Amino acid sequence: MSTIAPTIAPRLRLSEIAPAVIQSEIRAMSVECDRIGGINLAQGICDTELPGVVAEGATDAIRDGFNIYTRLDGVQVLREAIAAKLQTYNHLTVDPQSEVLVTSGATGALYASLLALLNPGDEVIIFEPFYGYHVSTLISLRMKPVIVPLAEPDWQLDLDALRGAITSNTRAIIVNTPSNPSGKVFGRGELEAIAALAIEHDLFVFTDEIYEYFLFEGIDHLSLATLPGMRERTITISGLSKTFSITGWRVGYLAASSRWISAIGYFHDLTYVCSPAPLQFGAAAGLRQLADSSFYTDLASSYEAKRDQLCAALEDAGLQPYVPQGAYYVLANAERIAGANSSERARALLRATGVASVPGSAFFRPGLGDHLLRFCFGKRPADLDLACERLREF
């Protein structure tokens, strides 16, 4: 009697999640834009000039020999500067010795926090349109993103939809305000509703506040951790990448209860070791020396003007913009551009104008967002002027 040998799976193979991983549309459009020498309004590179005090602080640190590993939680001068900034701007009191962690960008802060506080299989609520890296990070950690759509055109929170998305497996909510890609700023009422549900169901809330200084028309930033009952369960994440135009430096931070910091710090150290040492000193110099200047109000005013400039050009091009309240992105209706989906429309626009955008589908569940493109206005004035001119010609 013959026997059939059992089929043995090859050991040299990708992980279970790797086959589903594809290059982000943001990166793909940037690569294509570089290939043709276009103007990149796709990636949030923020290639404007960094403040002089930030550059000088970093170069001084290099010359002074601060080029080795830092403490697990970052250099003390930066942690103290972050704590002071959180107190004055966010109205959040934290201990720089036990409740602040300097990270490798805001992405590193979220990654380490999820590793420390959640488990594979846990459900995490994300609002749509979403930042793709938030969703991809959850998937890479074998966690389950649960998408709650916000209502067009103002991206309002549907509290019933949020409540209905919470199950016995829900462990956390991610809130990005001001938001990438929509520029939505969650209002006090919305944040209070999220806080009430988080308390009721005993959930963590991870807040991505990286665009906290990019606010328009007098809107104020509200950190969810300052609401009653939220201090212990909120991981407040931000960084200096956007504010100081140093996206390549990878200097981020988080603030959380000392109850969580040690575990988060362990996983950040395991994955990243530390944010680059001399660049931490540059960031600290910026936080300290610009605190009492007009830098932050000037920043918001200049970006509001850039927003208005780009939105006007998009309107003239027949690409109706969803005018953002914050951050430095605009979602625009691209249905007038030929193409079966937003990916084809983004590439058609790039070919016609040399202006790169991001397909709207990158920020939605499959089959959604194909009527939208995202444009970034965090650009040097000359580049933004040229992009707007080309869009108007289109």
Side-chain angles (χ1 to χ4, degrees):
M1 181 177 179
S2 63
T3 59
I4 299 175
T7 301
I8 300 175
R11 295 186 177 181
L12 300 181
R13 62 182 186 271
L14 293 171
S15 71
E16 293 174 354
I17 62 171
V21 174
I22 59 174
Q23 182 183 39
S24 79
E25 281 281 28
I26 298 173
R27 295 287 189 267
M29 289 303 298
S30 292
V31 170
E32 184 63 15
C33 182
D34 288 345
R35 187 184 70 80
I36 70 167
I39 305 170
N40 191 352
L41 301 193
Q43 192 172 356
I45 295 172
C46 196
D47 57 4
T48 53
E49 290 296 326
L50 74 162
V53 294
V54 176
E56 291 163 11
T59 53
D60 288 347
I62 292 170
R63 295 191 188 99
D64 292 341
F66 294 106
N67 301 301
I68 59 174
Y69 299 136
T70 72
R71 259 178 52 159
L72 177 150
D73 53 357
V75 299
Q76 181 168 333
V77 66
L78 179 54
R79 284 183 284 109
E80 291 177 348
I82 291 167
K85 171 262 171 190
L86 288 169
Q87 178 70 65
T88 56
Y89 183 71
N90 304 81
H91 309 296
L92 180 62
T93 302
V94 298
D95 181 353
Q97 304 304 325
S98 63
E99 296 180 316
V100 174
L101 177 68
V102 178
T103 61
S104 182
T107 53
L110 179 64
Y111 190 83
S113 297
L114 292 172
L115 274 170
L117 302 178
L118 304 186
N119 297 312
D122 285 345
E123 294 180 358
V124 180
I125 291 174
I126 299 265
F127 297 106
E128 181 185 60
F130 48 73
Y131 177 46
Y133 272 47
H134 292 162
V135 171
S136 296
T137 298
L138 290 171
I139 293 172
S140 74
L141 296 174
R142 272 71 169 182
M143 298 164 190
K144 181 181 178 182
V146 176
I147 308 302
V148 173
L150 301 175
E152 290 187 57
D154 298 325
W155 312 113
Q156 293 301 304
L157 172 65
D158 183 336
L159 188 56
D160 290 334
L162 173 57
R163 185 181 290 108
I166 298 174
T167 73
S168 58
N169 294 321
T170 305
R171 289 287 312 285
I173 302 171
I174 293 179
V175 178
N176 178 204
T177 181
S179 171
N180 175 8
S182 67
K184 174 186 172 56
V185 177
F186 282 81
R188 176 176 289 274
E190 292 176 317
L191 292 176
E192 288 175 343
I194 293 169
L197 285 173
I199 293 169
E200 178 185 348
H201 294 276
D202 197 23
L203 306 177
F204 281 111
V205 180
F206 301 91
T207 62
D208 181 344
E209 304 179 29
I210 192 75
Y211 298 101
E212 60 190 331
Y213 286 107
F214 297 86
L215 294 164
F216 313 130
E217 298 169 4
I219 294 177
D220 292 323
H221 179 70
L222 175 62
S223 289
L224 192 140
T226 62
L227 297 179
M230 293 305 296
R231 179 74 164 76
E232 183 79 0
R233 66 181 65 254
T234 303
I235 312 301
T236 302
I237 296 171
S238 192
L240 292 311
S241 292
K242 316 296 185 180
T243 308
F244 291 159
S245 301
I246 50 173
T247 55
W249 284 25
R250 313 315 302 140
V251 182
Y253 62 86
L254 63 83
S257 166
S258 58
R259 181 179 176 186
W260 318 122
I261 283 286
S262 294
I264 299 172
Y266 168 82
F267 283 104
H268 186 270
D269 176 57
L270 185 67
T271 309
Y272 303 99
V273 181
C274 65
S275 179
L279 308 187
Q280 290 190 44
F281 285 95
L287 285 174
R288 296 167 68 193
Q289 297 183 47
L290 297 173
D292 297 324
S293 72
S294 63
F295 173 79
Y296 297 104
T297 54
D298 291 346
L299 182 75
S301 296
S302 67
Y303 273 82
E304 185 171 346
K306 290 181 179 184
R307 177 202 67 169
D308 294 344
Q309 178 185 1
L310 179 57
C311 285
L314 289 168
E315 283 189 15
D316 291 344
L319 307 175
Q320 188 61 39
Y322 295 67
V323 180
Q325 300 171 306
Y328 51 57
Y329 306 100
V330 177
L331 286 174
N333 189 306
E335 289 176 304
R336 70 158 291 228
I337 302 175
N341 52 50
S342 59
S343 181
E344 291 185 7
R345 292 184 171 110
R347 285 159 176 79
L349 183 67
L350 179 60
R351 287 192 300 270
T353 66
V355 175
S357 59
V358 181
S361 58
F363 312 105
F364 290 82
R365 288 163 291 173
L368 301 175
D370 275 324
H371 61 301
L372 298 171
L373 296 178
R374 191 201 74 175
F375 298 83
C376 172
F377 53 90
K379 306 296 294 181
R380 299 172 190 264
D383 291 335
L384 187 60
D385 289 347
L386 181 56
C388 289
E389 178 183 329
R390 292 184 178 182
L391 287 170
R392 283 194 169 94
E393 291 173 355
F394 176 77

